[in-house]
Amino acid sequence: MTDFTDEQIERYSRHIILPEVGGVGQRKMLDARVLMIGAGGLGSPAAYYLAAAGIGHLGIVDFDTVDLSNLQRQIIHSTERIGMLKTESAKKTITALNPDVNVTLYNERISSENIRELFQGYDYIVDGSDNFATRFLINDACVMMNKINIHGSIFRFEGQATVFNPQDGPCYRCLYPEPPPPGLVPNCQEGGVLGVLAGIIGNIQAVETLKLVLGIGKSLSGQLLIYDALNTEFRKLTLKRDIHCPVCGDNPTIKELIDYEEICGTA
Amino acid sequence: MSVKVRIPTPLMKLTNNQAEVTAEGGTIADLLNNLESQFAGMKERICEENGAPRRFINIYLNEEDIRFLDGDKTKIKDGDEVSIIPAIAGGAV
Ligand SMILES: [Zn+2]
């Protein structure tokens, strides 16, 4: 029924013995198709653990190269890979960890031109991007293509995570109808971030992805998780679908993908 | 009413790095004016010129977004907690 090799039974034994996973769940993971946007702070831990878990088809989108200043948090890369494409570096790490994972690389900058093609073959989109233009584009494409968006973002000592599931909850524009004008809130690399915070939030994205793939537990859809590292506090706020949302509301005004002006960043 | 207000990281420079402050008011609108009187510049960061909260900042009364309550006319009672949550973009780089 589930058709594993002996090596796979051993590799995934700690999953397979979980009643919530079992052989059936492990097979779901091996058959799952997940697209990771960004192989940076959030993408490093998320992609790494998704690969360890045996997500069978993992796409990675990034056009940047590894820089020394990335390594304080981007643990999928390493010192000897400085200058290498992040996608190539991520694939090396993932393949060394788990050869079961089919990794597909997209060395591209996401735009309205290529996003539909990028998303087409995937069911779950993990947003580890670093700027509002990309986040709004990912959101709109997910709503239009009915894909689940596993969202995470970090700033200094604070992180946010949620799931935007077009089937049962709000989208990013239900929270924030349009991107902030430049300069009013920090975008991209402004302000710094505690490296480990990327690990916490990226791994929450990985957990949410696995739960969705397995169909277990209660997803973060409709809830915004806020993590305050300085005070060691997790809070959950309620998110609701806004019937006036410009993209998923009852009378949507945004019907085509928008490229907001990119003022920085990767992916 | 005196309530606890959670200040997001990008606005903490206005509160001497305090992540949590106390403010007074019967409604969210009163509370925002009270915050401004304690921390000059706060209201301008949170609200448009017409007084409505900016579109990339949400205000929550306890766990609920005030847009789905009574907006800035939402009433506040003792012991409530107000959170100001801006969109944050960071992730990769
Ligand atoms: Zn929406």
Side-chain angles (χ1 to χ4, degrees):
Chain A
M1 144 188 95
T2 42
D3 206 19
F4 296 117
T5 64
D6 288 349
E7 204 184 303
Q8 285 177 322
I9 288 169
E10 193 174 346
R11 175 182 288 272
Y12 304 118
S13 57
R14 300 301 192 279
H15 271 162
I16 293 170
I17 57 170
L18 287 170
E20 292 81 358
V21 181
V24 173
Q26 190 60 53
R27 174 48 58 195
K28 284 183 189 167
M29 291 196 263
L30 287 164
D31 290 341
R33 308 189 61 89
V34 176
L35 184 66
M36 183 72 235
I37 314 291
L42 297 170
S44 283
Y48 210 165
Y49 265 108
L50 289 173
I55 289 292
H57 306 270
L58 195 55
I60 303 177
V61 190
D62 206 308
F63 67 84
D64 208 2
T65 53
V66 179
D67 185 87
L68 182 56
S69 68
N70 298 151
L71 300 178
Q72 161 258 23
R73 62 201 177 285
Q74 301 184 15
I75 56 164
I76 209 162
H77 311 303
S78 62
T79 310
E80 62 179 21
R81 304 212 192 121
I82 290 168
M84 188 185 285
L85 282 168
K86 285 188 179 176
T87 48
E88 298 287 349
S89 167
K91 185 175 180 174
K92 262 183 188 274
T93 304
I94 287 168
T95 308
L97 175 65
N98 188 356
D100 280 351
V101 183
N102 295 296
V103 187
T104 309
L105 305 181
Y106 306 93
N107 301 306
E108 297 170 43
R109 186 189 290 263
I110 288 195
S111 74
S112 63
E113 299 288 308
N114 62 3
I115 195 166
R116 284 180 183 273
E117 208 176 316
L118 286 170
F119 282 15
Q120 207 148 41
Y122 297 92
D123 303 307
Y124 305 95
I125 312 296
V126 183
D127 183 354
S129 67
D130 68 340
N131 64 85
F132 288 114
T134 307
R135 290 191 181 280
F136 278 86
L137 181 63
I138 290 170
N139 178 71
D140 295 355
C142 282
V143 172
M144 291 172 192
M145 298 175 74
N146 200 22
K147 307 278 181 192
I148 300 178
N149 175 1
I150 298 99
H151 174 96
S153 59
I154 48 176
F155 179 61
R156 295 196 185 175
F157 298 91
E158 203 166 76
Q160 301 182 352
T162 186
V163 170
F164 296 120
N165 184 344
Q167 282 143 46
D168 69 9
C171 81
Y172 194 48
R173 284 192 197 265
C174 292
L175 269 75
Y176 307 112
E178 57 192 51
L184 275 178
V185 291
N187 202 355
C188 331
Q189 67 271 57
E190 293 169 53
V193 65
L194 185 73
V196 187
L197 187 65
I200 308 274
I201 299 296
N203 278 324
I204 286 172
Q205 291 177 277
V207 172
E208 290 305 305
T209 307
L210 293 182
K211 280 161 56 189
L212 288 161
V213 167
L214 292 167
I216 60 171
K218 184 170 169 290
S219 99
L220 266 180
S221 176
Q223 293 189 300
L224 180 67
L225 180 74
I226 312 247
Y227 172 54
D228 170 358
L230 285 180
N231 297 301
T232 320
E233 269 188 327
F234 283 95
R235 285 183 293 149
K236 282 201 283 187
L237 302 172
T238 305
L239 305 182
K240 291 197 172 86
R241 186 171 156 262
D242 182 358
I243 55 165
H244 306 296
C245 173
V247 67
C248 82
D250 293 348
N251 296 295
T253 51
I254 297 171
K255 291 167 183 159
E256 281 179 21
L257 296 166
I258 303 168
D259 290 304
Y260 290 102
E261 193 187 346
E262 188 116 27
I263 47 178
C264 67
T266 60
Chain B
M1 303 303 139
S2 175
V3 299
K4 195 162 88 175
V5 182
R6 313 291 302 244
I7 305 297
T9 310
L11 297 183
M12 276 167 45
K13 52 178 169 281
L14 298 175
T15 61
N16 281 322
N17 282 321
Q18 297 175 84
E20 204 178 289
V21 301
T22 305
E24 316 262 325
T27 63
I28 293 287
D30 296 345
L31 182 101
L32 291 171
N33 288 327
N34 182 264
L35 277 176
E36 173 65 23
S37 67
Q38 297 185 62
F39 311 104
M42 185 68 92
K43 195 172 174 191
E44 185 201 344
R45 293 294 300 275
I46 301 172
C47 301
E48 307 281 356
E49 275 165 34
N50 66 12
R54 293 183 183 276
R55 302 180 83 179
F56 51 88
I57 295 179
N58 289 325
I59 300 173
Y60 294 79
L61 177 63
N62 303 315
E63 283 83 46
E64 300 296 326
D65 186 333
I66 62 160
R67 293 180 303 154
F68 299 102
L69 301 170
D70 284 323
D72 64 359
K73 295 181 195 68
T74 302
K75 290 195 169 54
I76 300 169
K77 56 182 193 324
D78 267 330
D80 280 343
E81 186 178 295
V82 171
S83 302
I84 299 162
I85 310 286
I88 57 175
V93 186

